Amino acid sequence: MNITRKLEILADAAKYDASCASSGAARKDSRGSTGVGSTGGSGICHSYTPDGRCVSLLKVLMTNACLYDCHYCINRRSSNVIRARFTPDEVVQLTLDFYKRNYIEGLFLSSGIIRSADHTMELVIEVARKLREEHHFRGYIHLKTIPEASQALIAKAGRYADRISINVEMPTQQGLNTLAPEKNLARTEEAMGHIREKIDERYAEKRKPEAPKPPPFATGQSTQMLVGADASTDAVILGCANKLYTAHRLKRVYYSAFSPIPEPSVILPLKAPPLIREHRLYQADWLLRFYDFKVEEIASAAAPNLDLALDPKLAWALRNRETFPVDVNKAPREMLLRIPGLGVRNVERIVSARRYTRLRLADLIRLRLQMKKLLPFIITADHHPAKLGLDSDSLRARFLPPPEQLELNFDAPPAPVASDFLSVRSGEL
Amino acid sequence: MRTIVVKPEYEAWRAAARHLLAQRVMPDEVLWSDDPQEASLFVGEDLLAKQPASEAIKVPSAFMDMAKSAAAHTDSKRWALLYRVLWRLTLGGERYLLSMATDRDVRQMQDWCKAVGRDIHKMHAFVRFRLVGVDAVTGREQFVAWFEPDHRIVRLAVPFFEKRFAGMDWSILTPYECAHWDGKRLHFTEGVACSSAPDEDALDDLWRTYYRNIFNPARVKISAMQSEMPKKYWKNLPEAPLIAGLIAESAERVQGMLAKEERPAKPAPKNAYLESLHRMNQDEAP
């Protein structure tokens, strides 16, 4: 099999992994070396495919042969897909060739499980070792690790990689039992815990004054959860994500709408990918990480799924309208963060500007805020909205998109963004 | 009212601005121009030397960083606005001005910085190097790229390439300025025409193979792609010619998947590791 054919098969096999981030690595570069590569700072998306996803890394599998039988996965052993396998040198050469042309800024290497977890890990690590040690490659490397691999191998992977990840795939063991019978949530979390310890150890070493520079170790770990393959609610998904963020300090949890694969399983029939739900989960994830929201505020036991029609912050504000309007000239920062239509950056701008001036609507317009969304929720020096005493349906209706946008099918337009909803709002505030 | 004609570079503006500020010239007493037609009138670089040493006026370093970036923008109004902000920050007594994102002048400066920053970021992303040869003496591979930035950003953007591609020789050609790296030194030459750069590389086909196969036809989001990769960049991207075809055939590919017969689960093969895994899972089951 030639390299083009292998690349076709092993890129196709890798595309269901949503992660492509290349940010947050330790700063390093190729100056003074014969190699290429640099990391640090924010990642670069070198291209975009028509699915709207960024291409920053060469994302391939070492092999798509796999012992496991995960029913959402094109590569499961029951699938009839054509199998291929790269040699370590082939992946090394592809990475370097692509990198030197500035097509990519690194490698994201994963693999089907062959023979055993350790054997598979060794194959993946060998590619990273060759890149780092033989070719002095200083670009980004993300290695997928297997929770059952030995700790020594995971430690070795972390030495060469900027990021390592283990996909939890499902937020509950019950979901895994049905759809991924070889996978185990407890073992995955245990492995994440060990990785977190190693990441923490290195940071602690780094902070010691006058200590020798510690050997490199990945600066973060991430994971992916499938959305819509099992029956988990958004509350369960976000609860799992929140646990991973707090217990194992993951950098990112990716949510991946279960999307049709060419080799469907009888256990998991295909359906349209729930793209809007995925979008809302990402928005909710942002609220957890940057806006100090608690999972229960976004998705509770009573209402366990996110409102698909409204972004979760707006939905929260409508449920908690007694909190509003908020005075942008006086309210504490954490309250400003709760105002629909106000992001972290603009909250900072408001906090910094209001030390010198009393903010008026014209000031907010100059910040290019979404005024129609904001107006019912804020007080400024020259604006005081009527109390949000409207009955719940009519206030909610102001922010709803036209009904046809909610239909979800394969020809559906991209998930609506908040600003799409504003154009339909009517009436003076 | 006086007219100051500067080279369209941050350093030239800074020299002139320091001079004017030292003389306490009000912003509305100056007309700024960087029109190359008036090149003969460029303010001499000796201005810097004539700077009265005693008149050290403190300027926040955050302003200098922003000014450097805004100066790379192509808007002809930038020199006058930068001087006005500089004046307000210093002699105007508004030392806190940069904290006021709600101020019209600050907002404008931020917009320029943002546009320049985005242009730099897109240059880092969309430059495509083409292999043109190997240096016979040093054995280093030599690459050439063509890029068309919106603003005058080459000098701001190239330190990134120097760090990332230290181990190869490269040139990045643009219509107004070119940058070259030979492993030791970065240097700059005049802009060239697009035809000076090679328009393909032997690896482009393999890259297109990757691009085609990493795309998921079941989740087409064209506007998301175009907002990050606007069409103006497509003509210099080897993968862009694939886009129309991938979109056109995506619905049919998904229909094909949906029509495909579902496959039954295959029993586990005999494998010691898999057996140990299944045992572990059973032991851990509640």
Side-chain angles (χ1 to χ4, degrees), chain B residues 30-93:
Chain B
V30 194
L31 279 177
W32 291 82
S33 167
D34 61 7
D35 188 347
Q37 303 285 312
E38 302 173 74
S40 59
L41 301 172
F42 279 159
V43 172
E45 294 183 3
D46 51 332
L47 259 184
L48 249 184
K50 277 197 242 158
Q51 185 79 17
S54 59
E55 281 284 334
I57 296 173
K58 272 179 81 179
V59 180
S61 66
F63 170 77
M64 302 312 270
D65 292 341
M66 282 181 83
K68 201 179 279 180
S69 168
H73 201 279
T74 47
D75 193 323
S76 60
K77 297 189 295 292
R78 66 198 183 285
W79 307 123
L81 183 128
L82 286 176
Y83 184 64
R84 187 161 70 235
V85 173
L86 175 65
W87 196 90
R88 288 177 64 190
L89 275 169
T90 52
L91 304 180

Side-chain angles (χ1 to χ4, degrees), chain B residues 104-137:
Chain B
R104 209 177 298 271
D105 287 347
V106 173
R107 184 69 215 182
Q108 176 62 74
M109 201 160 79
Q110 283 176 345
D111 280 348
W112 285 331
C113 289
K114 197 173 165 190
V116 165
R118 182 175 160 94
D119 204 25
I120 292 170
H121 188 75
K122 293 303 178 195
M123 180 169 175
H124 293 165
F126 298 147
V127 151
R128 293 287 182 264
F129 284 116
R130 271 96 198 218
L131 183 65
V132 292
V134 175
D135 188 297
V137 181

